[in-house]
Every structure is written in structure tokens, then in C-alpha cells.
Amino acid sequence: MIYKSKIGDIDLSKLTRLYPAAVVAMQGEVAEMSLEWMEINKGKVHLKGYILVFDFTPQKEEVKDKIVLDFETKEELILTMTKVAQLFQN
């Protein structure tokens, strides 16, 4: 199963996790946080954007194998997540 993204084709056949996150700046550090955490802490941190992480890392492996798509808005992120989810329903 292939998802055609803005950065190229992503083979979903070995996907272990797919998750959205907010990218925030706080106290000089940049970090990925859950969308729920971002909603709770809105106004306390600087939102830099959103990401969708395609994680291919096998369980118990330390070396991470992932592809990250960047988004300016939460709506763009949700739209892409919906398109990827539809691939699994077919």
C-alpha cells in the first residue's frame, strides 16, 4: 500500500505506528507534543506547526525509522490523516 505524499511515495506495508503531533517551542527547546497536550497548554507555548509521523521502527529496536510530514495547520494534518486511513479501509 503506497501513500503519495508531498515528499514522495511512502510504502505503508511495514508501518508500525502513525501519529499526529504538534511542534512547539518552549524555554528555548523545540519538541513534539500530542495534539491533546497542545490544546491543554495553548497560550503557554509557541506553536511552530503540526506533523504526521510514519513510524516504521520494529518493536524493541532503538534506531528509529520514520518519515515526518510537516503541516502549517491542523486542518491540513487532519485531511492527510483521513486520506491515509482510507487506504487501510480499501
Side-chain angles (χ1 to χ4, degrees):
M1 184 173 357
I2 303 292
Y3 172 66
K4 295 188 179 298
S5 77
K6 60 187 176 185
I7 62 168
D9 292 352
I10 300 174
D11 183 357
L12 302 176
S13 64
K14 294 185 180 178
L15 187 67
T16 55
R17 290 190 324 144
L18 176 70
Y19 60 92
V23 179
V24 299
M26 188 169 83
Q27 299 174 350
E29 299 290 324
V30 176
E32 298 175 10
M33 297 295 174
S34 72
L35 298 180
E36 295 82 10
W37 185 93
M38 180 59 208
E39 289 299 319
I40 292 169
N41 292 285
K42 193 182 286 187
K44 297 178 186 175
V45 296
H46 173 69
L47 175 65
K48 298 187 70 69
Y50 296 94
I51 59 173
L52 183 58
V53 180
F54 295 78
D55 191 347
F56 301 95
T57 309
Q59 287 186 342
K60 300 181 183 177
E61 288 288 326
E62 291 187 31
V63 177
K64 300 294 181 196
D65 179 13
K66 50 186 176 174
I67 296 172
V68 177
L69 297 181
D70 298 301
F71 303 93
E72 291 184 23
T73 68
K74 188 174 180 180
E75 290 75 21
E76 291 174 302
L77 169 66
I78 299 299
L79 180 63
T80 299
M81 285 176 40
T82 302
K83 289 178 183 177
V84 172
Q86 288 172 348
L87 292 173
F88 287 98
Q89 294 174 356
N90 294 333

